[in-house]
Amino acid sequence: MTETPKITQEFLDSSQYLESSILQYESIYGADFVSPGGRELARELIATMDLAPASRVLDVGCGLGGSAFVMASEFDLRVDGIDLSRNMLALAELKLATNGLSNLVRLQWGDCLELDAREQYDAVYSRDVFLHIADKTRLFARLHAALRPGGSLLFTDYCCGPQPWSDEFFDYVEARGYSLHTVLEYAELISAAAFEQVGARDETARFVELLQAEHDRIDALPMPAGERDYLKHSWQGKLQRASAGDQRWGLFSAVKAR
Ligand SMILES: C[S@@+](CC[C@H](N)C(=O)[O-])C[C@H]1O[C@@H](n2cnc3c(N)ncnc32)[C@H](O)[C@@H]1O
């Protein structure tokens, strides 16, 4: 576990989520997505939430809106997406303006740590966002408060192996300002926020499969050779860190007591 300062909109928009970087990520993950597995995995995970049509979902760190759009168009859910990156949200809003889903999807700029929703949602969903958030205690308290009794939480996130880490992994985490936990630590943090039926699965093997497929896709992307080499190098780094056991990936679920 690392201690990092609070990540700001300015930091995200001037480092990892420059518009050009977002578009590069999207070209690898697929239209509207900035997370492993793209649309296909989003569809699979959303189905596991088993929500009735018209249920209300909060997509925390909605990015380009991909999951929110799938929830609305394929599952008939009403979704509020919140994201701290203005670059990300501006691109998501452009998509929402033309995809015909604005009757079911609302997008809002904001920090989920400042969320003030009270028992509003049937489910909270998030994909690979909490790595940016150091104060997990506050995070899970806010998400718990936002759920109605009986509501569910589902998220995936980058995780880590137990310390000590390799120097390379330590530098990678520090440079991005990530705040990572082992799968077990995450389960404890979720339980400590009064969630019940906590599920915590190490899905690193699936992550590696997805990374490999994404890595292989980069070759066919229409972009300058230098850009392609940079992205391949970046994906090879993730593959190496995951194979070495430092970088992990987790799938988490929980329920708020009735
Ligand atoms: C890896 S992207 C994933 C985006 C999206 N969930 C997806 O699956 O494509 C992480 C997202 O989390 C957002 N984010 C980071 N910290 C946040 C916070 N405190 N509140 C809301 N969004 C945040 C980032 O701006 C970014 O859009």
Side-chain angles (χ1 to χ4, degrees):
M1 187 168 45
T2 52
E3 289 307 323
T4 49
K6 190 170 185 295
I7 295 298
T8 62
Q9 172 261 319
E10 290 78 8
F11 175 79
L12 292 177
D13 282 336
S14 62
S15 55
Q16 198 168 350
Y17 302 130
L18 290 171
E19 185 181 296
S20 55
S21 313
I22 297 171
L23 297 175
Q24 275 183 344
Y25 285 134
E26 187 183 24
S27 70
I28 298 170
Y29 292 120
D32 305 343
F33 284 87
V34 194
S35 61
R39 181 175 311 275
E40 205 177 312
L41 183 60
R43 186 180 284 135
E44 180 185 321
L45 295 177
I46 293 161
T48 67
M49 294 196 295
D50 200 18
L51 294 165
S55 297
R56 291 197 62 192
V57 184
L58 176 66
D59 182 357
V60 180
C62 59
L64 297 175
S67 287
F69 301 153
V70 170
M71 288 190 244
S73 61
E74 300 184 23
F75 294 83
D76 212 10
L77 302 171
R78 294 179 295 155
V79 191
D80 289 344
I82 177 176
D83 202 285
L84 183 56
S85 158
R86 291 207 183 268
N87 291 343
M88 198 70 88
L89 205 70
L91 290 166
E93 277 166 348
L94 281 178
K95 291 169 184 285
L96 183 59
T98 56
N99 67 9
L101 294 171
S102 53
N103 57 329
L104 289 172
V105 176
R106 294 189 300 196
L107 300 174
Q108 195 193 333
W109 176 80
D111 184 343
C112 61
L113 289 176
E114 306 305 325
L115 192 69
D116 197 17
R118 293 273 160 239
E119 304 200 348
Q120 232 163 290
Y121 295 100
D122 299 296
V124 171
Y125 168 98
S126 182
R127 299 292 315 286
D128 301 274
V129 173
F130 301 160
L131 73 172
H132 292 297
I133 296 173
D135 191 347
K136 300 284 198 299
T137 302
R138 181 179 175 100
L139 169 70
F140 289 122
R142 295 274 158 157
L143 302 186
H144 189 270
L147 282 169
R148 64 158 178 78
S152 59
L153 170 70
L154 181 92
F155 69 95
T156 57
D157 204 17
Y158 280 29
C159 294
C160 60
Q163 306 240 18
W165 299 336
S166 65
D167 291 348
E168 203 260 320
F169 187 65
F170 186 87
D171 293 345
Y172 162 81
V173 170
E174 197 167 63
R176 284 164 179 74
Y178 287 167
S179 174
L180 304 184
H181 299 271
T182 65
V183 170
L184 193 62
E185 283 165 356
Y186 243 136
E188 288 165 3
L189 285 160
I190 301 166
S191 299
F195 279 101
E196 298 184 345
Q197 301 174 45
V198 176
R201 286 211 322 247
D202 188 323
E203 289 282 347
T204 309
R206 178 106 190 245
F207 183 57
V208 168
E209 263 174 43
L210 294 169
L211 282 173
Q212 190 62 58
E214 289 152 11
H215 172 268
D216 297 348
R217 214 176 294 147
I218 294 173
D219 277 326
L221 295 178
M223 56 175 56
E227 232 174 86
R228 187 176 307 116
D229 290 347
Y230 169 79
L231 287 175
K232 284 197 85 164
H233 181 73
S234 160
W235 254 251
Q236 281 158 7
K238 288 195 241 193
L239 277 163
Q240 276 160 11
R241 291 188 296 268
S243 306
D246 279 336
Q247 186 156 358
R248 312 251 178 128
W249 197 53
L251 169 63
F252 303 91
S253 58
V255 173
K256 177 170 174 171
R258 284 183 189 280

